[in-house]
Amino acid sequence: MTFAHNALAPPRASLATYLLSALLVFLALTSLPALAAAGGHVSEVNLVLPDLADSALVSFFGGISGWTLLSYGLLVAVGGLTFGAVIYRRIRRLPVHRSMAEISELIYETCKTYMITQGKFLLILQALTAVIMIGYFYFVQQLAVSEVATILAFSVIGIAGSFGVAWFGIRINTLANSRTAFASLAAKPYQIYAIPITSGISIGMLLISTELLIMLCIMLFIPASLAGKCFIGFAIGESLGAAALRIAGGIFTKIADIGSDLMKIEFGIQEDDARNPGVIADCAGDNAGDSVGPTADGFETYGVTGVALITFIMLAVPEAAVQVQLLVWLFAMRVMMIVASGISYFGNQMLARRLYGDKQRFNFEAPLTSLVWITSLVSLVITFIVSYLLMGQFAVNGRAYTDLWWQLSLIITLGTLAGAIIPEVVKVFTSTNSKHVREVVTASEAGGASLNILSGLVAGYFSAFWIGVIIVGLMSGSYLLSQYDLTAVINPDSAKAAMMAAVFSFGLVAFGFLGMGPVTIAVDSYGPVTDNAQSVYELSMIEQVPDVAAEIKRDFGFDVDFTSAKFLLEENDGAGNTFKATAKPVLIGTAVVGATTMVFSIVMLLTGGLTENLDKLSLLHPPFLLGVVAGGATIFWFSGASTQAVSTGAYRAVEFISTHIRLDAVVKASPKDSKKVVEICTIYAQKGMFNIFMAVFFGTLACAFIEPFFFIGYLISLAIIGLYQAVFMANAGGAWDNAKKIVETEMHAKGTDLHTASVVGDTVGDPFKDTASVAMNPIIKFTTLFGLLAVEMAVGLQAQGQQGVVIALAALFLIVNLVFVFRSFYGMRILAKKATV
């Protein structure tokens, strides 16, 4: 008996894309008279940056201009890029057996093909976004063609930045995975820890340095009248890149992971059995979801938070001298964060080598935890020192505010501490040492998969509560600190100043979250390396290589211990799972807190600088309340749609693998079958990502055109409900994942009913933690940034009495949005097999 189903085919994006692009161009052209008349409307993209080179305005250290001071930051950024390149060469030169190197190169080639496919698709999405950007900047703002081209160029640079750092991440991680696997053969755990964290810090340093270099170039070399617009274009581009790579990567990796994991239950084989055609796709997915997605996300998070603070300073602060001081201080802090991370990394490595270098066993989480805390403390000290040097003599109109430097430092410190405290809280719910995770295991022993899933849900719910409490506490602290000197200097209107200072302080908390940016990325990148290292070990079949022990002793100078190697790799993977989990809420929290600052920019636009329409920012204003409800609905649609794409893709993957796996007479799956599984993962990742992104794109346009304050409510709801949904899903998934790890590594219960229950829980958690939850971060920020342009177009039309046009466009955008919402579920359904004899 055979089974027939719909043939796999890539999404039909081309025709739809052309039609939608033509529609948007037509709308822009037909709306030209009204939009052009609105060109004088003042908004954040109209703001002109102050003259940083004017030392008469503000000078530092006895006469140095802000421009000169920030130009030194370029050297630090270049140094960070050099650091990443040096580490890359060092990782590449580490010893590795040829059998393992061949597998890691095969994984990289698969990842490379996936990235090329994604790159082509990103260009299609950029074309759609560019239509709106051209309509806004050319027709609404009436900029010259050359200026619009510059803004679009920075939008492309934003996408290229997200894409480029993501590519670097998979390249170095696929070198590190085989080196880590080979190092395990010596049964000395320190190197098994050192290689993944070294790979991770190189990604983190290169990522943050690239971001800083681009933003400094905009600040220093782009004309002041155009710089604000270029920042917006750059931020939209990197948000687009991160959103697409996060969604597609999350779908790809979980299709492959579930497809591979379920074979353990059906056929009773090992997780990375070389005969399983899904294993190569799973390895590629570890990079697509756990390396590409987080790296692009981190790049975008760092940039968008900076853009939000820059636009806020330009909107809220009327004094040019104060603007210069705050901008220079902000960028100087960013430069020093790279320095702090570098110092902390080298210091922690020296400490770890001294403590664990010769040990036969240690807790892999310990040096990772110390790295996070050391970086937090070093960042704290540097924050106060740099703030004192730059802001210690802060004065406005002849009046000195000598306490401002430590108040700002404390506000940032609250965010920096969050970057260390939140991972500790996450570990309470996701670590292999967590009581919650062990409760999942205990529940599974009596209640099987049912109680496993319920216990994981409980861990996720409680974690969301406690992280919410921490974020509220930190933001409350920042609010209280902001009501002193910051209120006095930020705006001469005391009523506005109190509100503006509070919002600015929230943005600084998000900024502090990112104070350990390179280290946050490093511990996150640790996970895909440790995960792949296990797979490389098994797929290389190193134990079956003739005379391999003697060969390694002769060529590399150490004795092989296969049993200890496998045990250490599995234990290290548990630490990798934990720290992948700890990084997610940090990035999610940053998105939400940073989005608060960006939403305030839209509020400033809609209220004429907080002088009108303030009554509409209330639950008593029906459109605002309806927007809040709509935002929550969108979060739950997104969670379902991304999970639906995983479910359908995994169904097809399992269907293919189970009918093509051969457990007799072969030692490895055929390359043809492995490539087919990769193809299935790629196709459903593309389909899912296209439907979701288009629904988000047109949903943003629809909400912005329905009513401006409806859109504000929508954004606020999207951020807040998205925060709790994302943290809940991420940590529930982390608990299920490490519960399985305990069953496998501590209880050695593979092949038992308990193991089956833990695998089922893990497969439920896969799309929770690595697809739906993590993609909410870039979706929230892309919606906010892109909506910034959309709502101004709607306001411009309304200002010219084109209310009917606005309503018609809102209806049209909503219809298109609902079409893609429908497709994201019903176009991705699992169809029953049709039996044919």
Side-chain angles (χ1 to χ4, degrees), residues 665-678:
V666 298
V667 294
K668 286 187 178 183
S670 73
K672 179 181 177 182
D673 288 345
S674 295
K675 288 179 180 178
K676 190 65 176 178
V677 179
V678 172

Side-chain angles (χ1 to χ4, degrees), residues 475-517:
M475 292 179 72
S476 297
S478 71
Y479 164 69
L480 293 175
L481 286 166
S482 72
Q483 298 304 296
Y484 295 97
D485 283 11
L486 183 59
T487 302
V489 303
I490 201 166
N491 194 287
D493 186 328
S494 59
K496 294 180 183 178
M499 186 187 306
M500 291 177 175
V503 174
F504 187 52
S505 72
F506 297 157
L508 291 179
V509 170
F511 184 82
F513 267 62
L514 299 172
M516 305 187 300

Side-chain angles (χ1 to χ4, degrees), residues 81-143:
L81 295 174
T82 304
F83 176 90
V86 169
I87 294 298
Y88 172 83
R89 292 185 63 189
R90 184 178 298 175
I91 293 289
R92 193 180 190 96
R93 292 177 177 178
L94 288 175
V96 61
H97 192 269
R98 63 184 180 281
S99 63
M100 292 179 169
E102 288 170 2
I103 298 300
S104 65
E105 286 304 302
L106 176 59
I107 295 170
Y108 172 64
E109 289 300 318
T110 304
C111 291
K112 187 166 70 173
T113 301
Y114 165 80
M115 287 295 288
I116 291 171
T117 303
Q118 289 302 101
K120 293 176 181 177
F121 212 63
L122 275 174
L123 293 177
I124 296 173
L125 299 181
Q126 167 63 11
L128 284 172
T129 307
V131 171
I132 296 297
M133 293 178 68
I134 291 170
Y136 176 74
F137 287 110
Y138 184 71
F139 296 131
V140 177
Q141 295 289 322
Q142 294 184 309
L143 298 183

Side-chain angles (χ1 to χ4, degrees), residues 301 418-420 422-423 426 513-514 520 581-591 777:
T301 298
I422 288 177
V426 171
F513 267 62
L514 299 172
T520 300
T582 64
K584 290 166 187 171
V586 173
L587 292 176
I588 294 164
T590 304
N777 177 8

Side-chain angles (χ1 to χ4, degrees), residues 171-189:
R171 174 67 286 203
I172 193 168
N173 281 349
T174 49
L175 292 171
N177 59 22
S178 56
R179 276 69 178 172
T180 302
F182 182 72
S184 71
L185 296 173
K188 293 181 178 179

